[in-house]
Amino acid sequence: DAKTTQPTSMDCAEGRAANLPCNHSTISGNEYVYWYRQIHSQGPQYIIHGLKNNETNEMASLIITEDRKSSTLILPHATLRDTAVYYCIVKGGQGGKLIFGQGTELSVKP
Amino acid sequence: AAGVIQSPRHLIKEKRETATLKCYPIPRHDTVYWYQQGPGQDPQFLISFYEKMQSDKGSIPDRFSAQQFSDYHSELNMSSLELGDSALYFCASSLVWGWTGGGHTEAFFGQGTRLTVV
């Protein structure tokens, strides 16, 4: 599975959009980009995933560049409850384990 | 909606003792994954099962073993516990159809078991 690079930490003001970048320059054609988050000591929570098209659900939007070498997770209106570690994970589409690398610690501040 | 259930939520054991962690996947999910998360670390993959057969293996110590039963629940058995085994242990489940070319759902995680070895 391709390796990902994320900033170690980010701050965001409550009510503003949080944009979390991820680089995955070695992604292969059949690999998806997944985003999970982990609120302190809770089980990781699925957010969204995509292959090459932009995706949106009730939690977030995922923007994938045309060359697929990077992506951005967007939380449109961050709240204090969005404070968590966000993991960008690249893996093949058919099942398979998630490999958690160093994620981004997002702090949403009042 | 039903979620992944892990038991117990907390467990305290002494060194060299044995522990058994249980995981009940979301109904109809056929795949279970186990992860270990030490203090200040990211979750590390241990082992997974698909349709009751071991499907993948990560950095799981030889002192640990796991299995998935006919009702799809899974147990992680840990023997000769060491202080360094103190961690959060997460179980996740997903539905995978046609392992080599079908589809899948995303993995859903339980709330974890916090194991403390003293």
Side-chain angles (χ1 to χ4, degrees):
Chain A
D1 294 327
K3 181 180 170 65
T4 62
T5 304
Q6 301 177 246
T8 302
S9 64
M10 293 181 64
D11 289 341
C12 178
E14 188 178 20
R16 305 296 294 268
N19 297 284
L20 291 87
C22 179
N23 287 319
H24 32 78
S25 59
T26 60
I27 192 171
S28 61
N30 65 345
E31 288 183 317
Y32 289 72
V33 179
Y34 286 80
W35 284 84
Y36 278 75
R37 73 179 182 184
Q38 187 176 28
I39 298 169
H40 181 63
S41 293
Q42 296 183 20
Q45 177 188 23
Y46 166 81
I47 302 173
I48 199 167
H49 75 281
L51 183 62
K52 55 183 178 181
N53 297 320
N54 298 337
E55 302 287 346
T56 296
N57 62 22
E58 64 279 2
M59 288 183 68
S61 294
L62 174 61
I63 308 299
I64 302 174
T65 57
E66 192 168 344
D67 63 8
R68 303 209 321 124
K69 292 185 177 182
S70 66
S71 60
T72 301
L73 178 74
I74 301 172
L75 307 179
H77 306 287
T79 71
L80 299 178
R81 288 177 294 180
D82 291 323
T83 293
V85 178
Y86 287 76
Y87 294 97
C88 169
I89 300 168
V90 171
K91 79 172 191 74
Q94 279 80 249
K97 61 185 179 288
L98 295 163
I99 302 297
F100 291 85
Q102 180 188 344
T104 297
E105 187 167 3
L106 175 69
S107 296
V108 180
K109 300 181 184 299
Chain B
V4 177
I5 306 296
Q6 291 188 246
S7 68
R9 292 294 308 277
H10 302 273
L11 190 59
I12 299 175
K13 291 286 186 178
E14 295 188 353
K15 284 192 303 183
R16 293 179 289 278
E17 283 194 319
T18 298
T20 298
L21 280 53
K22 297 185 178 182
C23 170
Y24 298 86
I26 291 173
R28 297 195 307 114
H29 280 195
D30 54 17
T31 305
V32 167
Y33 311 83
W34 284 96
Y35 288 81
Q36 177 191 60
Q37 187 173 27
Q41 297 183 1
D42 303 306
Q44 297 296 310
F45 171 73
L46 293 178
I47 195 167
S48 64
F49 293 86
Y50 168 65
E51 282 291 343
K52 294 156 279 184
M53 300 287 290
Q54 181 181 310
S55 53
D56 201 351
K57 194 172 181 180
S59 50
I60 183 169
D62 292 340
R63 299 177 289 107
F64 294 8
S65 65
Q67 59 181 322
Q68 187 179 29
F69 294 85
S70 58
D71 63 352
Y72 293 95
H73 93 272
S74 179
E75 295 183 3
L76 178 66
N77 298 293
M78 310 159 70
S79 63
S80 303
L81 288 169
E82 302 173 356
L83 296 178
D85 296 328
S86 295
L88 274 168
Y89 290 83
F90 291 107
C91 170
S93 74
S94 68
L95 173 64
V96 177
W97 56 95
W99 187 264
T100 59
H104 74 289
T105 65
E106 58 272 16
F108 294 88
F109 285 77
Q111 288 306 298
T113 294
R114 182 177 294 280
L115 172 66
T116 303
V117 181
V118 297

